[in-house]
């Protein structure tokens, strides 16, 4: 029994034969292109699309449309000797000058770009969030949920928390930030009295800095982050006048006389 599937695939891959009646209807194709728009240049060629359907291509001479071409599709009915215009359009060629591919705003937005007065809606299907709690008819249950802080409609799921932790840890508030690497090795935030641990699953790894004099004040830092404003810094380095390196004298006022 013959393999009909192979025969069908061969038929589909076979290049359609160029219809001579439609290929010779160059004047009709040019006339259709001129009716569709301006900047009709020289004829670039004709291609067979399928049986009794061809496309004529004309150069586009409009400024700013380098590499574009006018396309006019011609067809004819079976056994008819007259070509008719099916459609015409301005299309980009292989080397056409085109604008960059449009990227949705959600994919273009980078971290920290939402500024003062700007609004960023969160999608209903945001993969970082999950439903938090459904209301109960029992008042006693509602009282408990209020005390436990379960009043939010959505909370971050495990994937969202893990992504956040990784971003924070690898960022400027992690252990490899320049300020942390320049600080004494024992001066880690997790042992600092100004370190306020976060709640929940982030508690052991992250907290907020509450040291007024630190450049990290009011920022989330990792427990193994560090700086020179550690609450026990004097235990790690010599902070006495003898242990502090003096700066070069810029102006000596010992010889000045007060009037």
């Amino acid at each position: 029994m013959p393999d009909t599937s192979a025969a069908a695939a061969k038929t589909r891959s076979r290049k359609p034969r160029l219809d001579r009646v439609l290929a010779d209807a160059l004047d009709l194709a040019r006339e259709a292109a001129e009716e569709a728009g301006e900047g009709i240049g020289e004829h670039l060629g004709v291609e067979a699309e399928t049986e009794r359907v061809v496309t004529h291509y004309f150069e586009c001479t409009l400024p700013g449309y380098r590499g574009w071409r006018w396309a006019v599709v011609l067809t004819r009915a079976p056994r008819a000797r007259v070509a008719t215009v099916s459609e015409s359009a301005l299309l980009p060629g292989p080397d056409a000058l085109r604008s960059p591919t449009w990227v949705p705003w959600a994919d273009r937005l980078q971290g920290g770009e939402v500024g003062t007065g700007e609004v960023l809606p969160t999608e209903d299907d945001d993969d970082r969030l999950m439903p938090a709690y459904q209301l109960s008819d029992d008042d006693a249950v509602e009282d408990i949920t209020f005390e436990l802080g379960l009043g939010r409609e959505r909370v971050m799921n495990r994937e969202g928390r893990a992504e956040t932790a990784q971003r924070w840890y690898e960022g400027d508030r992690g252990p490899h930030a320049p300020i942390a690497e320049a600080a004494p090795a024992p001066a880690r935030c997790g042992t600092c009295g100004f370190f306020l641990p976060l709640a929940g699953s982030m508690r052991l790894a992250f907290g907020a800095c509450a040291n007024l004099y630190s450049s990290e004040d009011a920022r989330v830092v990792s427990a193994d982050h560090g700086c020179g404003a550690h609450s026990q810094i004097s235990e790690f380095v010599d902070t006495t006048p003898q242990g502090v390196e003096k700066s070069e004298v810029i102006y000596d006022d010992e010889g000045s006389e007060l009037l």
Side-chain angles (χ1 to χ4, degrees), residues 33-58:
E34 292 175 348
E35 290 181 359
E38 301 176 351
I40 313 301
E42 64 181 48
H43 185 251
L44 300 177
V46 58
E47 295 181 2
E49 303 293 345
T50 184
E51 186 178 3
R52 294 187 299 277
V53 179
V54 304
T55 300
H56 286 269
Y57 292 101
F58 297 89

Side-chain angles (χ1 to χ4, degrees), residues 47-91:
E47 295 181 2
E49 303 293 345
T50 184
E51 186 178 3
R52 294 187 299 277
V53 179
V54 304
T55 300
H56 286 269
Y57 292 101
F58 297 89
E59 178 188 11
C60 177
T61 60
L62 293 173
Y65 284 86
R66 186 184 68 195
W68 287 64
R69 53 190 183 177
W70 286 99
V72 179
V73 180
L74 301 183
T75 185
R76 67 182 180 89
R79 292 186 295 276
R81 306 300 297 173
V82 178
T84 59
V85 178
S86 177
E87 59 179 336
S88 56
L90 180 61
L91 301 176

